[in-house]
Amino acid sequence: VMATYIFQPLLEAWEGWKTLTRYIDGVLGTGDEIFDIEAHDNLIFDDDLYTRSRRYFWVINCLNESERTIGLNIHTWTHYRDTHLLPLSEDLLRAGNGKVKKELDSTIQRCDEILVNLEKVKKQFSEQRAKAVALRDGVILLFNLLCFPSMIREPTNTT
């Protein structure tokens, strides 16, 4: 059954995406850097080559594309399952082929479990992207404040 051939690539895709989440966590930091002044400053200050800013832009673009690709994987599996495999399962039931139906249903369930995990990874990517955007924006803001101090305005009292 074709579902059996779909399970392994879905599983490998999920494992690959998990690897990327761990790598990006390492690039962005754990959050504990706030308590370590040097580590914290390394996250928000940039060098003359804008290494950190470029890294954040790369992470944001990578995560955008990764989320899109996972979404396509999810959509493709769901569409194939709903339009081909579930009707086939019903046909197998009507034909009295319970053993093959049971195998098919089991494989569908295993693929759906991977789908839940892919949704979790997609959510992690969204959270990582938000963190990367905040870090990138912080680097840009700090750069502007340091290079263009005249941009700093005193609050005005409007009352």
Side-chain angles (χ1 to χ4, degrees):
V1 176
M2 190 60 137
T4 305
Y5 296 110
I6 294 172
F7 174 75
Q8 192 61 37
L10 270 179
L11 179 63
E12 290 174 11
W14 170 58
E15 290 171 349
W17 291 122
K18 283 190 324 185
T19 302
L20 183 59
T21 62
R22 288 190 298 270
Y23 175 76
I24 290 177
D25 275 341
V27 170
L28 296 179
T30 63
D32 292 336
E33 294 82 4
I34 193 86
F35 301 109
D36 179 346
I37 293 172
E38 188 174 322
H40 176 264
D41 289 350
N42 281 337
L43 285 176
I44 60 173
F45 285 105
D46 215 341
D47 58 22
D48 292 340
L49 300 175
Y50 304 103
T51 307
R52 196 159 324 286
S53 299
R54 287 188 307 190
R55 183 179 315 145
Y56 296 145
F57 278 108
W58 174 83
V59 166
I60 292 165
N61 289 332
C62 178
L63 290 171
N64 281 336
E65 188 62 26
S66 297
E67 284 181 76
R68 188 186 71 74
T69 302
I70 290 174
L72 287 171
N73 292 158
I74 291 168
H75 172 77
T76 301
W77 163 250
T78 304
H79 178 73
Y80 184 73
R81 179 197 63 206
D82 294 348
T83 60
H84 293 84
L85 298 179
L86 294 179
L88 175 61
S89 179
E90 293 302 316
D91 290 345
L92 290 169
L93 179 64
R94 282 191 292 276
N97 198 340
K99 182 180 178 192
V100 175
K101 179 190 179 340
K102 186 177 179 179
E103 289 174 16
L104 174 62
D105 291 347
S106 174
T107 303
I108 291 172
Q109 181 180 353
R110 290 172 46 208
C111 288
D112 283 343
E113 290 168 4
I114 297 296
L115 200 72
V116 169
N117 291 329
L118 283 171
E119 288 283 2
K120 289 177 184 176
V121 169
K122 187 177 175 195
K123 183 177 184 248
Q124 285 179 299
F125 283 162
S126 179
E127 292 166 357
Q128 288 176 321
R129 186 171 31 83
K131 183 177 180 179
V133 167
L135 288 167
R136 179 208 57 199
D137 291 350
V139 168
I140 291 170
L141 177 63
L142 190 58
F143 172 80
N144 285 331
L145 291 175
L146 292 173
C147 293
F148 307 104
S150 62
M151 292 177 60
I152 302 172
R153 296 185 188 171
E154 291 293 323
T156 58
N157 188 353
T158 57
T159 58

